[in-house]
Amino acid sequence: MALGKRRSPSKLATVALSVAGLAAAGLTVAASSAASPAVYLDRHAAPGARAADLAGRLSLDEQLGQLVQIQVGKLYGDCGGYTPGPLNAGCAQDVLAKDLVGSILSGGGDVPGAGHFPNTPQTWATQINTLQKYAIQHSPHHIPIVYGADVVHGHNDIVGTTLFPQQIGLGSSFDAGLVRKIQVSAGRAALATNVRWAFSPVADVDTNSRWGRYYESFGEDPTLDGTLAAASVRGLQANGRVAASVKHFAGYAASDSGLDRTPTDISLRSLQTYQLPSYARGIQAGALSVMVNSSSVNGIPATASHYLLTTVLRRQIGFDGVAISDWADVAALWNKYHVASDYEHAIATAINAGVDVTMEPYDADSFITNLRAAVQDGLIAKSRIRQAVKRVLTMKFRLGLFDHPYVNADAANDILGADTSLARRAAAESSVLLRNAGGTLPLATSAKVVVTGPAADSVADTLGGWSVGWQGVPAGSNEDAVTVREGLQNAGGQNVTYAASQSAAVSAAAGADAIVAVLGRDPGAEGPNDQRDPTLPADQQALVSALKQTGKPVIVVLIDDRPDVLGDAATADAILAAWRPGSEGGDGVADLLYGKADPSGRLPVSWPARATDQPNSYLYATMPNTYNGNGAVYQPAYPFGFGLSYSTTSSTVTSVHRAEGSVAVRVKVTNSGSRDASVVVPVYVSQPESSVLVPAKRLAGFTRVHVDAGAARTVTVNVARSALKIVQGDVDASGPPTLEHGQYVFSTGPVTDAVTASATNSVTL
């Protein structure tokens, strides 16, 4: 098992040490003058005031350094980025003393020292403290760096930390409270290692399951995605010492091809109605930073878009934090997109559009040189530089970096083995039961079970991409997780037999009561993980067919990044979509298969019946139309919001009332089954008449409620009136988002059911 996995989680020690406590070690920031104390040194002053004061004291070179972020590997080994070795004093001098770089990041799989040191929390904390000390001592005004990493499903770059389900699984939970708790844990782990800038959450709205990052989104609906993005931000930033970064602003998941970093061509109505709201919810939850979309929108690279980064982000949404580019995207304006003649003009274009910090992982010196030239040549106003610098410094002051720049490295390993019970609960809540023919599930613990399939005993598959490595757990890593095989054996003991091959599984089936086939694609991340044909591999479909021929019940567990078209696997007696369930995934899956937990997850995306059904969102496919072909346009294998339970539940809207700024929808939830159940209660809205086309139903709000067997409960879901607005205007979508006067009808689903307005489920606004 993973390092520390089976220890009882110890209480995380206090990791932020005061400047005074470290003064004796020579690790203090600048001391103020008693004669003329500077505002920026007054820890009781507001962060904005401290930042404004300090920004006004900096030389141009000091200001420029705050606007770049460099890859950590450029400071270690031979400074090439990926060569193992200790901190290179020469490169540290160039990057932190000469260029005065204000931020460092670990990209996916980047470890301080690149393998020269063990990949432990203590190593991270020790090395980041070392970099921090060097930066403070070599900065004329003793400005600390802010260290960033992709903290996307836990502190996922480090071996042995607790990893939670990927975001698509958390989207399946429809549980904002759970998401917040998970992100509190992730923020605590990040802080323990002095990672103070978490590049999370992903607020992109899924539209096409070809996309290699499909699993990084919460789903295909902006209300769901926005609610969970907001919960993520609040959780990550709960300790007040870690910044969340809502990404990737905006429309990153909506590319026409479905492939990563390819053009998005989208109407302004769709952009504003179905893409922007999820980012806005995360930002309005208090996110300190936003990461910019790497691709282009309507012919303009997002990094170069003044409309997106200033008009929309700043003026419409009201964001006042730090906007950072993604990996090497500013240089891409010149060497990939060719919208700038050289690097100097690319930098000017991005900064003038609204980028504050450039993630320039490869060459900080080149960035600083060209940025300085752009200022000297009048391409960027000095006032814009000061504005960006003030934003960066304000974030650093908010994070307490000037007053508490270091952490207690000796306590960092306390995060190992933490919150495993939360991870197990999350794995169960994140799984969706798609099929359960004849009550195949739950299994009795006495049942003889054969478990097989390519993902049955794979740690890499269980965790997915962004786990120790960028594309997933690297070969040879000692990272571990509870696989489905282990989880079933933990629950069923000697009654569970593992068969490593199809022939072995077919042979073992003779003495079994049921067969569990764990299927799914290999893990991956952006680019290499794109799938032009998102269909379950043929050999895995053939495995299900062969197992079915044994006459024994076949249960398919899908460990995957996306809703792959199932083909022959759809004939299995039971199907559970567990996505990438994380460190405790196998135990969470076993809890469901054996009935220790009731399946409560619901699909946050539409499950396509055909690989050609792309884009594949209910929001677009249920728009009014004059189609006269075969059946409805929206024909998924399983619709958005679908999911089975071991109990029998139903929900009905009982009343709708206008409230200040919202609509209060009361829903009666009844459990007529024999088991207690946790029930996802979606509230959809329909408009019988609208001047602009809207989906037949769209999610307006949701909650979860526990209902005892044979009981009923009534819950209230408050739907913000702002969530009901639709962008007005003709084809040009020139009008503002407006709450149209008319009738609004509320229902609880399924999303494919017709809705009839009545006095109890509708209201005129």
Side-chain angles (χ1 to χ4, degrees):
M1 307 307 295
L3 179 62
K5 175 174 287 294
R6 292 299 167 227
R7 287 191 303 152
S8 297
S10 58
K11 184 177 181 181
L12 183 63
T14 301
V15 294
L17 299 182
S18 69
V19 173
L22 290 167
L27 302 181
T28 185
V29 294
S32 62
S33 166
S36 55
V39 173
Y40 82 93
L41 293 172
D42 180 2
R43 65 182 62 192
H44 300 294
R50 297 179 75 180
D53 177 64
L54 179 55
R57 298 170 182 270
L58 302 183
S59 67
L60 179 62
D61 284 347
E62 289 176 280
Q63 292 180 13
L64 301 184
Q66 293 303 304
L67 306 187
V68 63
Q69 184 179 71
I70 190 72
Q71 180 193 14
V72 68
K74 293 296 180 179
L75 297 162
Y76 286 83
D78 66 1
C79 305
Y82 305 99
T83 305
L87 183 65
N88 186 309
C91 293
Q93 169 68 25
D94 288 343
V95 171
L96 296 175
K98 174 176 170 284
D99 290 328
L100 299 170
V101 165
S103 182
I104 298 173
L105 88 153
S106 282
D110 286 341
V111 179
H116 179 75
F117 307 105
N119 186 4
T120 66
Q122 186 172 18
T123 288
W124 281 65
T126 300
Q127 294 304 310
I128 296 173
N129 279 350
T130 299
L131 294 170
Q132 187 69 277
K133 178 181 178 181
Y134 191 99
I136 290 171
Q137 290 181 340
H138 290 82
S139 165
H141 284 86
H142 309 289
I143 301 175
I145 58 167
V146 56
Y147 198 100
D150 292 276
V151 183
V152 294
H153 63 128
H155 201 352
N156 45 269
D157 286 319
I158 304 175
V159 172
T161 56
T162 300
L163 301 188
F164 298 94
Q166 299 277 2
Q167 275 196 196
I168 193 170
L170 298 181
S172 300
S173 76
F174 281 73
D175 191 340
L178 173 68
V179 170
R180 188 184 188 282
K181 288 179 180 177
I182 285 170
Q183 296 293 42
V184 167
S185 175
R188 187 165 55 238
L191 177 58
T193 62
N194 216 2
V195 170
R196 310 291 279 275
W197 200 350
F199 299 134
S200 179
V202 172
D204 305 318
V205 178
D206 279 331
T207 62
N208 195 313
S209 58
R210 295 185 179 102
W211 189 37
R213 306 188 75 168
Y214 193 85
Y215 67 97
E216 294 186 53
S217 166
F218 288 116
E220 69 182 40
D221 185 277
T223 296
L224 173 64
D225 293 10
T227 301
L228 300 186
S232 294
V233 168
R234 294 188 180 103
L236 274 172
Q237 297 187 171
N239 59 40
R241 294 292 181 262
V242 174
S245 185
V246 174
K247 62 184 189 182
H248 307 79
F249 192 84
Y252 182 35
S255 71
D256 293 27
S257 69
L259 305 180
D260 190 59
R261 287 175 167 80
T262 58
T264 293
D265 196 353
I266 188 171
S267 75
L268 285 181
R269 178 170 285 114
S270 290
L271 179 70
Q272 293 188 59
T273 305
Y274 303 119
Q275 293 290 324
L276 293 178
S278 58
Y279 304 104
R281 289 286 298 275
I283 290 165
Q284 290 160 1
L288 296 181
S289 70
V290 164
M291 185 180 289
V292 182
N293 176 3
S294 289
S295 59
S296 62
V297 178
N298 296 344
I300 304 297
T303 308
S305 175
H306 187 273
Y307 173 77
L308 282 177
L309 303 185
T310 298
T311 303
V312 175
L313 180 62
R314 301 291 180 181
R315 297 171 188 164
Q316 292 182 14
I317 296 177
F319 179 61
D320 64 356
V322 175
I324 181 172
S325 79
D326 206 339
W327 189 275
D329 281 348
V330 171
L333 298 179
W334 158 51
N335 58 32
K336 299 289 186 182
Y337 286 115
H338 310 296
V339 298
S341 57
D342 53 31
Y343 199 15
E344 178 186 348
H345 285 79
I347 292 169
T349 298
I351 290 180
N352 288 331
V355 172
D356 297 314
V357 175
T358 293
M359 189 185 292
E360 171 44 85
Y362 303 119
D363 192 346
D365 191 65
S366 176
F367 175 83
I368 294 295
T369 299
N370 282 281
L371 175 56
R372 185 183 298 109
V375 174
Q376 293 171 345
D377 292 341
L379 299 178
I380 307 173
K382 290 184 178 180
S383 59
R384 171 68 188 108
I385 297 295
R386 287 193 297 273
Q387 179 188 57
V389 170
K390 182 182 175 184
R391 289 170 180 165
V392 173
L393 294 176
T394 297
M395 184 174 80
K396 289 184 176 184
F397 279 115
R398 285 179 175 175
L399 297 177
L401 279 165
F402 281 83
D403 305 318
H404 303 282
Y406 310 101
V407 297
N408 181 359
D410 290 338
N413 282 351
D414 287 349
I415 66 175
L416 298 172
D419 296 321
T420 54
S421 60
L422 179 62
R424 182 170 180 164
R425 171 193 162 193
E429 277 198 31
S430 295
S431 299
V432 183
L433 184 62
L434 299 176
R435 180 174 166 85
N436 192 22
T440 301
L441 294 173
L443 297 168
T445 53
S446 60
K448 301 293 186 181
V449 177
V450 174
V451 58
T452 189
D457 202 34
S458 169
V459 170
D461 287 350
T462 303
L463 298 177
W466 302 99
S467 300
V468 183
W470 171 44
Q471 294 291 322
V473 180
S477 171
N478 63 350
E479 176 68 320
D480 209 342
V482 181
T483 64
V484 174
R485 176 190 69 80
E486 291 174 321
L488 292 177
Q489 290 179 334
N490 290 340
Q494 294 182 350
N495 290 324
V496 177
T497 300
Y498 173 58
S501 66
Q502 177 175 311
S503 59
V506 170
S507 177
D513 297 310
I515 308 166
V516 176
V518 190
L519 311 178
R521 293 181 183 273
D522 292 338
E526 52 198 312
N529 200 38
D530 290 342
Q531 298 293 339
R532 294 177 184 271
D533 180 6
T535 301
L536 196 67
D539 61 335
Q540 297 187 31
Q541 296 184 46
L543 172 62
V544 175
S545 296
L547 296 175
K548 285 284 290 182
Q549 290 174 10
T550 68
K552 299 301 175 68
V554 177
I555 301 155
V556 166
V557 175
L558 296 164
I559 304 291
D560 211 340
D561 293 333
R562 71 197 84 216
D564 271 327
V565 174
L566 297 175
D568 290 343
T571 65
D573 298 277
I575 303 173
L576 181 75
W579 310 110
R580 303 290 186 189
S583 298
E584 303 298 314
D587 282 335
V589 167
D591 288 342
L592 294 174
L593 296 188
Y594 283 104
K596 183 177 180 180
D598 185 69
S600 62
R602 299 295 180 261
L603 286 179
V605 295
S606 301
W607 200 292
R610 295 161 292 273
T612 53
D613 288 348
Q614 305 289 350
N616 190 50
S617 167
Y618 86 96
L619 292 168
Y620 296 101
T622 63
M623 289 281 191
N625 59 74
T626 56
Y627 176 69
N628 61 359
N630 298 319
V633 174
Y634 186 56
Q635 295 183 6
Y638 301 103
F640 175 88
F642 181 82
L644 300 176
S645 167
Y646 295 150
S647 195
T648 303
T649 63
S650 61
S651 56
T652 305
V653 174
T654 58
S655 67
V656 181
H657 300 285
R658 289 184 292 270
E660 177 119 12
S662 67
V663 177
V665 181
R666 289 180 63 79
V667 181
K668 183 179 180 180
V669 185
T670 302
N671 182 357
S672 56
S674 59
R675 292 175 56 108
D676 295 351
S678 180
V679 183
V680 171
V681 184
V683 170
Y684 297 100
V685 65
S686 302
Q687 289 177 251
E689 181 181 347
S690 173
S691 62
V692 175
L693 297 187
V694 293
K697 291 181 180 180
R698 63 189 191 273
L699 189 67
F702 61 90
T703 190
R704 284 177 66 102
V705 59
H706 178 86
V707 186
D708 292 339
R713 292 184 61 181
T714 297
V715 296
T716 299
V717 177
N718 291 307
V719 176
R721 294 195 183 202
S722 58
L724 304 177
K725 293 182 177 181
I726 295 294
V727 176
Q728 301 299 307
D730 205 325
V731 173
D732 60 356
S734 59
T738 300
L739 181 66
E740 281 195 299
H741 175 69
Q743 188 180 38
Y744 291 80
V745 184
F746 296 88
S747 61
T748 61
V751 73
T752 49
D753 280 3
V755 179
T756 301
S758 69
T760 59
N761 70 354
S762 63
V763 66
T764 299
L765 299 175

